[in-house]
Amino acid sequence: FLPAESAALRAYLAGGGSALLLFDLGFVPEPGLARLLADLGGRLEQQVVVDPLSHYQTDPEMVAVTGYEPHPITRTVSLTFFPGIRPLTLTEPAAGVLAAPILKSSRDSYARPVQPAETRSIEQSSTPVDSVSDVRPRVLGIAVEGTLAAGAPPLRAVMIGDGDFASNS
């Protein structure tokens, strides 16, 4: 995203727009987009979620979500796999905005740092499992509703820390 694109997205949402925001692992938002996400109640972490309890086959970085938080958009969603998903941190949203987690990893999950996409290389090492101390469910997706400006029409947005799952591959 360029600054003008982030400003256009903010204006669209402030005018009552709706958006599905999918942020792949390693993507670094420019400052204007980071401020918009914070106003929507979320922050992207430069980490990958590892879930030894709920994952696909033998890949603990392909997180399996078997249950969703109660929300109208998750009512009919069942098992979904998220390859290389990043956690989202809930932040205090702007006044008039409500943000709620809609999907999480299992209680046994943890996150390990990753480099931004433009600096990664094949020769990366992974975090040894014995050095993991922050084991807990991670927020993977957030639903947002409300207004960014007084008297504006309501916006709706969903933020998810991955875009690969949408290809259903």
Side-chain angles (χ1 to χ4, degrees), residues 1-66:
F1 279 61
L2 296 173
E5 293 170 316
S6 298
L9 180 58
R10 177 180 285 279
Y12 169 73
L13 290 172
S18 298
L20 174 59
L21 305 167
L22 308 175
F23 297 105
D24 278 333
L25 193 59
F27 170 76
V28 178
E30 63 87 28
L33 181 59
R35 281 189 302 277
L36 173 60
L37 298 179
D39 286 347
L40 295 176
R43 181 178 68 235
L44 302 175
E45 300 299 339
Q46 284 299 337
Q47 301 174 331
V48 63
V49 175
V50 181
D51 197 332
L53 179 64
S54 188
H55 59 272
Y56 181 72
Q57 292 188 352
T58 60
D59 185 356
E61 287 186 14
M62 188 171 292
V63 176
V65 174
T66 58

Side-chain angles (χ1 to χ4, degrees), residues 43-105:
R43 181 178 68 235
L44 302 175
E45 300 299 339
Q46 284 299 337
Q47 301 174 331
V48 63
V49 175
V50 181
D51 197 332
L53 179 64
S54 188
H55 59 272
Y56 181 72
Q57 292 188 352
T58 60
D59 185 356
E61 287 186 14
M62 188 171 292
V63 176
V65 174
T66 58
Y68 289 79
E69 301 297 313
H71 191 276
I73 66 171
T74 61
R75 193 175 34 241
T76 60
V77 180
S78 59
L79 174 69
T80 311
F81 297 107
F82 295 89
I85 192 165
R86 68 194 307 166
L88 305 174
T89 297
L90 288 171
T91 62
E92 183 66 36
V97 175
L98 298 173
I102 55 171
L103 60 132
K104 294 180 182 178
S105 58

